[in-house]
Amino acid sequence: MKQIRSLALEADISDTRFDLRLLDQTLLPNQEKWMTIETNEQMIEAIQALRVRGAPLIGVAASLMIGKLAFEKSDESIDKETLLEQARQLYEARPTAVNLMICVDRMTAKIKQTNSVQEIVDLAVQIFDEDVQLCSRIADNGAALIEDGDRILTHCNTGGLATAGVGTALGVLRRAHEQGKNIHVYVDETRPLLQGGRLTAWELTKLGIPCTLITDNMAAHLMSLGKITKAIVGADRIATNGDFANKIGTYSVAVNCHYHRIPFYIAAPYTTLDPECSSGEQIPIEQRKSSEVRGFGDFMWAPEKIEVYNPSFDVTPHPLVEAWILDKAVYNKNDVKNGVFK
Ligand code: MRU
């Protein structure tokens, strides 16, 4: 089975090694360059610049970073105050994906509760391993919904690059393909940072899954031609009423599916559920810099002085969702209405 990985941990606690390496996703698909993360500042920069990205993966990466920081203090006693402050900085690196906060909260509770470096490191590694398992369960649950001959639209990148495992929405498609189902994936380019065109296209090509790249504004046209049978996306935060935030443009996909009566699914681990958030209105939306919309990389095509609006995520209201594919089960509208996410 092919592996898509973007986070590597080479650690041996009995030795002195805790090497944390990231595949710099800003350079894909043109360059596959791994970078070593030494400091908390480097990890925060990597999260904010989207070198490491995707809701589940930033939670895992932050946890491993805290594990590394604790490990490096193992010959002295842990400076809990400093470690808690570093954890707080990681918590605040990006605001929308709740996985980051949930994972950092788990690490913070452990730091408060123990003086053992081993226990802190073990929890970080456990969070990594758990994500691999969660992805696999999501893939199994979701693949059962995919039918032979399906032509499926996806948005952003939700695969091995966005998680520690096979991915969420993309993991479902991968599992269906591995089961021998004849599927075709339509990949939304995903403006402005092209997670679809650069990353999902890269993953699907590597995995040999039949796919076609489109720009985001082509999806409705394809639907009107009857070329899309299902849509499946990931999530950055799910409210208890089923509303969810995901990459900007997801809401348009859901509205277009609704108009064309195409089932629209989301796939996510339980670490994306926010029990404190009762509706999408409460989800904080990250605003990003204008240069991401004015151009790409160093090349700018819009005037420097133009006013730009660049929210990184939007919220899709729960009535537009056919089902929520989680690691535990697939939930329908009634399940969600009856409070399964509370
Ligand atoms: O800004 P990004 O690239 O981190 O946004 C990622 C997404 O919106 C994904 O769809 C979401 O995190 C789910 S990834 C399994």
Side-chain angles (χ1 to χ4, degrees):
M1 195 194 294
K2 287 195 183 108
Q3 295 274 14
I4 306 269
R5 286 276 181 270
S6 62
L7 183 62
L9 170 68
E10 282 147 30
D12 183 351
I13 195 143
S14 61
D15 194 356
T16 48
R17 251 162 26 98
F18 198 117
D19 295 336
L20 202 47
R21 298 193 317 126
L22 302 176
L23 179 61
D24 184 347
Q25 298 192 34
T26 62
L27 304 176
L28 288 174
N30 298 326
Q31 273 186 65
E32 291 181 32
K33 189 173 160 199
W34 286 82
M35 57 189 288
T36 303
I37 299 287
E38 306 279 5
T39 66
N40 207 36
E41 290 68 32
Q42 281 175 343
M43 179 56 89
I44 290 167
E45 190 279 336
I47 292 173
Q48 291 176 340
L50 273 53
R51 299 185 201 288
V52 57
R53 49 152 295 285
L57 196 64
I58 59 175
V60 172
S63 304
L64 290 178
M65 188 68 224
I66 295 167
K68 178 177 169 65
L69 292 167
F71 177 77
E72 281 166 358
K73 290 279 169 204
S74 61
D75 46 346
E76 307 152 29
S77 60
I78 315 169
D79 174 357
K80 286 199 184 194
E81 217 172 288
T82 305
L83 201 51
L84 288 170
E85 172 55 21
Q86 287 166 320
R88 192 194 59 75
Q89 290 164 1
L90 286 162
Y91 183 104
E92 290 180 353
R94 290 187 79 188
T96 303
V98 76
N99 311 59
L100 176 62
M101 290 99 196
I102 286 180
C103 290
V104 172
D105 276 345
R106 282 178 74 183
M107 294 301 297
T108 298
K110 179 59 79 183
I111 297 165
K112 287 183 179 162
Q113 173 225 314
T114 185
N115 287 318
S116 156
V117 167
Q118 179 80 56
E119 279 186 31
I120 297 171
V121 170
D122 284 351
L123 179 59
V125 174
Q126 186 188 327
I127 287 172
F128 181 103
D129 291 339
E130 264 175 29
D131 194 56
V132 176
Q133 300 306 322
L134 291 172
C135 286
S136 188
R137 282 187 228 129
I138 294 166
D140 285 338
N141 291 340
L145 300 169
I146 306 294
E147 293 158 298
D148 200 47
D150 265 342
R151 298 174 302 278
I152 305 143
L153 179 70
T154 192
H155 191 74
C156 196
N157 171 265
T158 58
L161 291 173
T163 63
V166 291
T168 58
L170 215 58
V172 167
L173 300 177
R174 176 178 176 166
R175 186 64 45 87
H177 172 76
E178 285 165 357
Q179 289 170 349
K181 289 176 186 161
N182 168 26
I183 61 166
H184 192 98
V185 183
Y186 283 93
V187 181
D188 261 358
E189 176 185 51
T190 318
R191 278 281 294 146
L193 292 180
L194 309 175
Q195 286 92 333
R198 294 186 303 108
L199 309 178
T200 301
W202 182 78
E203 285 201 38
L204 290 172
T205 310
K206 265 193 178 249
L207 296 169
I209 300 176
C211 56
T212 302
L213 177 63
I214 59 170
T215 63
D216 301 348
N217 53 356
M218 292 173 187
H221 174 65
L222 276 171
M223 289 178 190
S224 76
L225 298 176
K227 289 201 186 277
I228 309 284
T229 57
K230 289 183 174 78
I232 178 166
V233 299
D236 285 78
R237 192 184 296 228
I238 307 173
T240 55
N241 72 345
D243 295 351
F244 73 100
N246 191 49
K247 179 54 53 195
I248 190 76
T250 301
Y251 179 32
S252 313
V253 175
V255 170
N256 283 326
C257 282
H258 181 72
Y259 183 79
H260 293 97
R261 299 181 199 286
I262 294 166
F264 173 85
Y265 298 99
I266 78 161
Y270 83 91
T271 47
T272 307
L273 278 176
D274 185 355
E276 312 274 297
C277 186
S278 60
S279 85
E281 281 164 28
Q282 293 163 17
I283 301 177
I285 301 293
E286 176 183 6
Q287 299 290 328
R288 295 187 61 88
K289 56 187 182 192
S290 67
S291 57
E292 293 176 353
V293 174
R294 287 195 295 111
F296 190 84
D298 292 334
F299 181 66
M300 296 293 127
W301 52 73
E304 201 182 336
K305 296 233 153 57
I306 186 75
E307 188 184 308
V308 168
Y309 180 51
N310 186 17
S312 191
F313 301 94
D314 57 25
V315 171
T316 300
H318 62 276
L320 299 178
V321 180
E322 177 79 14
W324 291 254
I325 303 163
L326 266 74
D327 44 282
K328 246 195 194 159
V330 177
Y331 301 105
N332 64 25
K333 286 183 202 292
N334 270 339
D335 298 325
V336 174
K337 200 169 152 201
N338 292 333
V340 76
F341 293 157
K342 283 186 183 146

